[in-house]
Amino acid sequence: ENLKSERTSPMRLFYFLLLIFSAVFHVLYKGDLSFVLLGFVVILPFFMLAMLIISALKTKVTAQLEQLSAARGHSAVLKLTVRNNSVFPIVSCVAEVRYKPAVPFETSSVKFFRMSASIGARSEECFALNIKPEHCGTVDVAIVKIRLRDIMGLFSIPVKSQLSGKITSLPVI
């Protein structure tokens, strides 16, 4: 079962209500203040989308498995580095990682991990996920998706990251 992102966030509802309020305010009170308020509320999402697109274009994601093998019960580390080269901060960067044993009859042991962080302008954030194999054999690890979100949660943009690897779990000797 995949982790689903929230489709209707409270901020989307808040923005929709603010848009309705400012439109009603503009109709009832014809003046400069009501026009400026309506214009600001209408234009704000376009600026936020432009900032998010610029940040997504300048974001680089690297991922690596620090160990390709681990003893059963010991951790192997997946390191995910997100570098934001833009002048705009990224409020929410959500990475989803799938971890499953490479055993064909064990479909119930597929696990998903979600990591989230905010990344400042022209900075770098490192995620570290300790993967602890329960059984001997191989474990498939893949990054399912990485999404960047704006401050109000109105827009989200996927970022490409290519990690699909295997960790070999060895018996403890």
Side-chain angles (χ1 to χ4, degrees):
E1 176 179 330
N2 198 350
L3 295 173
K4 300 291 181 184
S5 62
E6 296 177 15
R7 287 288 176 209
T8 57
S9 69
M11 290 303 286
R12 286 183 182 178
L13 180 63
F14 173 73
Y15 174 74
F16 183 69
L17 292 175
L18 185 64
L19 185 64
I20 290 173
F21 172 75
S22 62
V24 169
F25 184 71
H26 179 64
V27 169
L28 293 177
Y29 301 101
K30 298 213 182 250
D32 293 339
L33 177 65
S34 64
F35 179 72
V36 169
L37 178 66
L38 180 63
F40 177 76
V41 170
V42 168
I43 291 174
L44 179 67
F46 295 108
F47 282 119
M48 290 181 5
L49 180 62
M51 288 173 27
L52 188 64
I53 289 172
I54 291 169
S55 294
L57 290 175
K58 294 194 173 213
T59 298
K60 303 293 183 230
V61 178
T62 58
Q64 67 178 4
L65 288 168
E66 290 190 351
Q67 300 166 322
L68 296 177
S69 64
R72 186 178 69 88
H74 292 82
S75 296
V77 178
L78 166 68
K79 186 176 179 184
L80 179 69
T81 305
V82 182
R83 177 150 184 80
N84 180 11
N85 293 323
S86 72
V87 295
F88 303 114
I90 298 171
V91 175
S92 176
C93 175
V94 178
E96 189 173 317
V97 178
R98 183 186 71 226
Y99 156 81
K100 73 173 189 170
V103 181
F105 56 85
E106 275 196 53
T107 58
S108 64
S109 61
V110 176
K111 296 179 183 174
F112 288 92
F113 298 100
R114 181 178 280 180
M115 301 177 284
S116 178
S118 60
I119 304 164
R122 295 188 176 157
S123 65
E124 180 176 282
E125 185 72 32
C126 292
F127 298 101
L129 176 64
N130 292 325
I131 299 171
K132 194 179 225 183
E134 297 173 4
H135 305 288
C136 294
T138 58
V139 176
D140 293 327
V141 178
I143 294 179
V144 178
K145 64 182 173 182
I146 297 176
R147 297 195 71 82
L148 305 178
R149 292 193 178 118
D150 66 338
I151 194 165
M152 289 184 69
L154 297 176
F155 305 106
S156 76
I157 295 178
V159 175
K160 292 182 182 178
S161 175
Q162 308 242 340
L163 173 77
S164 181
K166 292 186 179 196
I167 298 172
T168 305
S169 177
L170 303 171
V172 178
I173 299 176

